[in-house]
């Protein structure tokens, strides 16, 4: 087997990179929190669809299942970030970007939804800042546009 055919497993490469940067841990924690919120919301919607009296039970179940599936995306991204998988940054960033319109919708509502919108906006912006930070991108092995380290 030639040297070009040998592959170093990714976990071994992670151990060489040293300790996990705090910003990477923050990004993973934000994704995990969002995933848990979506999963809890999906379970709540399913319980309400089954035990409540929705106008359309089929639509209520579909919404609950959709929210559960959407909760899997940041959950997988959080795990990937903790394991320093390069691919995980994309789904994590998409999750944060998608959270911003949801936060806006909550902010333009009234009552108890406004503080929820503020919290979601703060979490999404914090997640984006942590994900685009050079320390995070370096820890994930992501290089600049030209492949330079600069």
């Amino acid at each position: 087997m030639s040297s070009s055919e040998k592959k170093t497993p990714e976990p071994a490469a992670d151990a060489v990179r040293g300790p996990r940067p705090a910003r990477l841990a923050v990004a993973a924690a934000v994704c995990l929190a969002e995933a848990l919120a979506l999963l809890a919301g999906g379970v709540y919607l399913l319980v309400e669809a089954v035990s409540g009296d929705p106008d359309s039970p089929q639509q209520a179940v579909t919404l609950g299942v959709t929210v559960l599936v959407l909760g899997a995306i940041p959950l997988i991204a959080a795990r990937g970030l903790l394991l320093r998988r390069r691919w995980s940054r994309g789904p994590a960033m998409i999750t944060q970007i998608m959270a911003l319109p949801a936060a806006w919708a909550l902010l333009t509502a009234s009552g108890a939804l406004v503080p929820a919108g503020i919290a979601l906006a703060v979490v999404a912006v914090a997640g984006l800042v942590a994900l685009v930070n050079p320390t995070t991108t370096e820890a994930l092995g992501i290089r600049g546009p030209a492949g330079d380290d600069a």
Side-chain angles (χ1 to χ4, degrees), residues 123-147:
V123 167
V125 169
L128 279 172
V129 168
L131 286 165
V132 299
N133 188 281
T135 306
T136 302
T137 56
E138 182 181 317
L140 293 173
I142 299 171
R143 297 181 182 219

Side-chain angles (χ1 to χ4, degrees), residues 71-144:
I73 296 169
L75 184 64
I76 292 167
R79 184 176 186 278
L81 289 169
L82 287 174
L83 295 175
R84 295 187 183 184
R85 302 294 193 253
R86 185 179 309 187
W87 58 263
S88 63
R89 185 172 176 246
M93 288 188 70
I94 289 169
T95 300
Q96 306 318 311
I97 292 168
M98 293 301 294
L100 292 173
W104 179 256
L106 292 171
L107 286 169
T108 57
S110 61
L113 295 178
V114 174
I118 293 169
L120 181 56
V122 168
V123 167
V125 169
L128 279 172
V129 168
L131 286 165
V132 299
N133 188 281
T135 306
T136 302
T137 56
E138 182 181 317
L140 293 173
I142 299 171
R143 297 181 182 219

Side-chain angles (χ1 to χ4, degrees), residues 24-85:
L24 183 59
V26 167
V30 165
C31 285
L32 180 61
E34 290 168 337
L36 293 176
L38 283 167
L39 293 172
V43 169
Y44 173 79
L45 289 169
L46 284 175
V47 168
E48 284 296 312
V50 173
S51 65
D53 188 26
D55 292 336
S56 172
Q58 184 179 6
Q59 285 181 344
V61 169
T62 301
L63 177 62
V65 170
T66 301
V67 172
L68 283 174
V69 170
L70 288 174
I73 296 169
L75 184 64
I76 292 167
R79 184 176 186 278
L81 289 169
L82 287 174
L83 295 175
R84 295 187 183 184
R85 302 294 193 253

